[in-house]
Amino acid sequence: MTRPARNALLDGPILRTLLWLAWPNVIALSAGTCVVIAETSYIGRLGVESLAAMALLFPCVILTMTMSGGAMGGGVASSIAARARRRRDRARLDACGACAADRGDLRPDIHAGHADLRPRLLELLGGRGNVLAQAIGYSQIFFGGAILPWLMNTMAGILRGTGNMKLPSIMILSSAVWQIILGGTLGLGLGPVPQFGMRGVAAGSLIAYSISITVMGWYLFSAAPASFRSSRDCACNG
């Protein structure tokens, strides 16, 4: 009787497997630090008031990214890896992926539903005058497109749950590079591009997320069978 093929993710040495899975993610997340440094640099060129506006918004932006990447992304990855792959159930894996994508679409409603509270919240945090106006301008663009970071991190979680760490890490790394390039170009107005200020910085981030979403979406929906594309049975509940 022949033994079934070993699954390196499930049957390999624990420490070596964890390190092998972790290193692409560590590199990608380190790029997030570079984005913060770069944004601080070119927002500083816009003036002290722009830096103050970013300081008001930074906790909300980081909360959005950690909720979508850590909470939602981690939950998606663990659901697919622990529940679906453990049972070698491809149909269940497809259903979990479809369910996760649906849930990722719904989370930005939190931001949209509280849009009217945003100026008041920024005022309570100390925003006044031009600082408040710039903070509102950034938030209108970034949180208006909040579905994009949610989708990007949800798709990355789906891929990580299947054991594919390299593609989402490459996409997050490339997203960081594009954020720096596009945010600086649109914010400062380099070359023929006009200066959009804080709104341009926010738009650069969203465009960078869209690029990663396009690549990961193409990979997921072209590599997966039809059951992944059509299933809406939330099998990851049970």
Side-chain angles (χ1 to χ4, degrees):
M1 180 177 179
T2 59
R3 297 179 61 185
R6 285 170 54 86
N7 186 311
L9 181 63
L10 301 177
D11 303 325
I14 295 175
L15 180 59
R16 188 175 67 184
T17 301
L18 288 176
L19 292 175
W20 182 252
L21 290 173
W23 74 262
N25 209 34
V26 171
I27 295 175
L29 293 179
S30 298
T33 303
C34 297
V35 172
V36 173
I37 295 172
E39 285 189 347
T40 303
S41 175
Y42 53 69
I43 289 176
R45 292 177 177 269
L46 295 174
V48 176
E49 291 179 333
S50 298
L51 275 176
M54 195 65 222
L56 285 176
L57 291 164
F58 188 74
C60 299
V61 173
I62 289 299
L63 179 62
T64 298
M65 299 307 296
T66 53
M67 286 177 61
S68 61
M72 180 67 181
V76 168
S78 63
S79 173
I80 291 177
R83 298 187 182 186
R85 287 186 65 86
R86 176 172 57 84
R87 301 177 184 180
R88 311 297 204 276
D89 188 345
R90 179 71 200 198
R92 185 177 178 84
L93 177 64
D94 299 337
C96 282
C99 172
D102 286 345
R103 288 181 174 181
D105 288 344
L106 296 176
R107 291 305 182 271
D109 291 345
I110 299 172
H111 302 292
H114 294 83
D116 294 337
L117 298 178
R118 217 172 290 142
R120 178 58 179 162
L121 174 61
L122 294 174
E123 287 181 8
L124 291 174
L125 292 174
R128 298 291 186 275
N130 191 40
V131 173
L132 177 61
Q134 292 195 48
I136 292 174
Y138 182 100
S139 66
Q140 287 174 338
I141 300 297
F142 185 85
F143 294 110
I147 188 174
L148 297 177
W150 279 95
L151 277 176
M152 182 186 72
N153 287 316
T154 299
M155 287 183 176
I158 293 172
L159 289 170
R160 290 190 186 105
T162 65
N164 185 343
M165 291 294 295
K166 290 184 179 179
L167 180 59
S169 297
I170 290 172
M171 288 298 99
I172 292 175
L173 180 60
S174 66
S175 177
V177 174
W178 280 112
Q179 274 184 265
I180 295 172
I181 296 173
L182 295 173
T185 301
L186 296 174
L188 298 176
L190 302 179
V193 179
Q195 185 181 91
F196 293 101
M198 293 293 285
R199 290 177 178 269
V201 176
S205 297
L206 296 182
I207 295 172
Y209 300 150
S210 299
I211 295 172
S212 295
I213 290 169
T214 301
V215 175
M216 288 190 289
W218 172 83
Y219 178 86
L220 283 169
F221 288 95
S222 62
S227 58
F228 177 86
R229 295 191 291 270
S230 62
S231 174
R232 287 298 179 269
D233 177 21
C234 187
C236 48
N237 282 335

